[in-house]
Amino acid sequence: MDQIDAILNRDWEAATQRGKETLAGPLAESACYDQPSGEVVVQLNNGAVLRIQSTLLQGLENATPEEMADIHIGGRGTGLHFPHLDADFYVPALVEGVYGTPAWMHGLKQKLARQKAVLTASGRRLTGVRHQKKTGDHRNV
C-alpha cells in the first residue's frame, strides 16, 4: 500500500503543479465576436488582446454571427465555449496558435501555403519581377 500511496502522491503533486502553471496565464478575462472584422476577440489577463479570424477556428468556419455572439468563459479563464455551436477552445492553446485538432491545423497550413503561393505569383506579375529558380536571382522583365 505504501508504494501505491507514493505513486498517488507523486501524481497529485505533478497535477497540482501543472494546474498552477496553467492558472498563471494567460487566461481569458472577456471574449466577444466582432462582426465587422469577423474576429473572435479575447481580452487576456496579462493585458494582451487576442484577435483570431473565426474561419480559422475549427467548428466556427461556417457559423453565423448570431451563433458566435454567445461566448462563455469557463475553467477560470482557461476555456471559451460557444454553446450554439457546441464548440470549445483552450485559451492557452489559442495563444500558441492552435485552433483545432492536428488534422485541422495541417489543413490550415496547406490552405495558407496555397494562398501565399497565389499571392506571391500575383505580386510578381504586378511588379514585373520574375524569380529564377536555379540561381535564386531576381530580374526585371
Side-chain angles (χ1 to χ4, degrees):
M1 196 71 150
D2 289 331
Q3 187 177 16
I4 293 173
D5 287 339
I7 292 169
L8 289 174
N9 283 335
R10 181 198 68 208
D11 290 350
W12 180 264
E13 292 299 322
T16 300
Q17 182 60 35
R18 284 191 308 273
K20 287 178 184 176
E21 291 168 3
T22 298
L23 292 176
L27 304 172
E29 288 186 338
S30 65
C32 66
Y33 174 65
D34 181 50
Q35 187 171 351
S37 68
E39 295 173 327
V40 174
V41 181
V42 184
Q43 177 69 47
L44 301 172
N45 66 340
N46 63 4
V49 177
L50 182 62
R51 301 179 71 89
I52 306 168
Q53 276 295 318
S54 61
T55 56
L56 297 176
L57 296 165
Q58 185 174 6
L60 275 60
E61 65 275 14
N62 297 315
T64 66
E66 294 77 23
E67 291 172 322
M68 296 201 317
D70 190 17
I71 306 173
H72 297 200
I73 297 173
R76 300 172 82 183
T78 61
L80 298 182
H81 176 64
F82 293 79
H84 299 287
L85 301 165
D86 195 27
D88 296 285
F89 297 93
Y90 184 55
V91 172
L94 292 175
V95 169
E96 292 179 12
V98 178
Y99 306 137
T101 63
W104 175 262
M105 295 304 295
H106 180 72
L108 274 183
K109 188 181 287 188
Q110 289 181 326
K111 179 180 176 183
L112 293 173
R114 285 191 303 271
Q115 288 175 348
K116 182 179 177 183
V118 168
L119 289 173
T120 302
S122 297
R124 287 187 188 132
R125 283 192 298 274
L126 289 173
T127 61
V129 174
R130 189 171 21 180
H131 183 71
Q132 297 293 315
K133 288 189 178 188
K134 290 184 181 178
T135 64
D137 294 335
H138 289 79
R139 66 181 176 148
N140 287 329
V141 178

